[in-house]
Amino acid sequence: MLARTALVIACLELAGCAAFRPPASPPELARARAAIRAAEREGASADRRAAMHLALARSELAQARRRLSVGDQEGARWLLRRAEVDAELSTLLVREAGLRDAASRTLDQASALAEGKKASALAERKKASALVEGKKGKK
């Protein structure tokens, strides 16, 4: 009887183990990883502010993985959402820096063009004045 009970218990334990599956990775994990990769592709490591947010996103991803390993799904999901947002902010900061640089170059070019036009207009005025003075001197 004791052997039979032990056998039944062993079978139930095996059935329970076979039915147990570790929880699936939350969808936020893939989104956070993708956002971090996007920030890296944009060159977030080269910009001081963007690099800070990228490092924060990586840290949050690591913390989320630790939480997942101990079964804290909700805490992990919260950290993964934060990691995704920090990585996206990192990407946007890099893009903003690029746009600022482009705008600054455009303003410099516009200023140079305006200065060139002023110089050209001034030269034209001097020529016109010289012609007028030349005609006055002939009379």
Side-chain angles (χ1 to χ4, degrees), residues 128-138:
S129 293
L131 287 174
V132 169
E133 291 296 320
K135 287 184 181 180
K136 283 183 182 178
K138 288 184 182 179

Side-chain angles (χ1 to χ4, degrees), residues 4-5 16 22 24 29 35 41 46 54 60 64 70 73 84-85 90 106 109 119 124-125 131 138-139:
R4 186 183 241 181
T5 305
L29 180 61
R41 278 192 306 273
L54 180 58
E60 290 160 345
V70 296
Q73 289 282 322
E84 180 184 3
V85 168
S90 179
T106 301
Q109 290 171 351
E124 290 295 321
R125 282 190 210 139
L131 287 174
K138 288 184 182 179
K139 287 185 182 178

Side-chain angles (χ1 to χ4, degrees), residues 9 22 28 39 51-52 60-61 97 133 139:
I9 290 173
E28 291 89 354
M52 180 183 72
E60 290 160 345
L61 178 62
E133 291 296 320
K139 287 185 182 178

Side-chain angles (χ1 to χ4, degrees), residues 49-89:
R49 292 184 312 152
M52 180 183 72
H53 287 282
L54 180 58
L56 188 56
R58 288 176 178 150
S59 172
E60 290 160 345
L61 178 62
Q63 290 175 36
R65 285 182 176 155
R66 283 193 293 277
R67 294 242 176 135
L68 283 171
S69 71
V70 296
D72 182 7
Q73 289 282 322
E74 192 55 39
R77 291 176 86 154
W78 183 79
L79 281 164
L80 290 168
R81 286 190 290 267
R82 285 193 54 175
E84 180 184 3
V85 168
D86 280 322
E88 287 175 354
L89 177 57

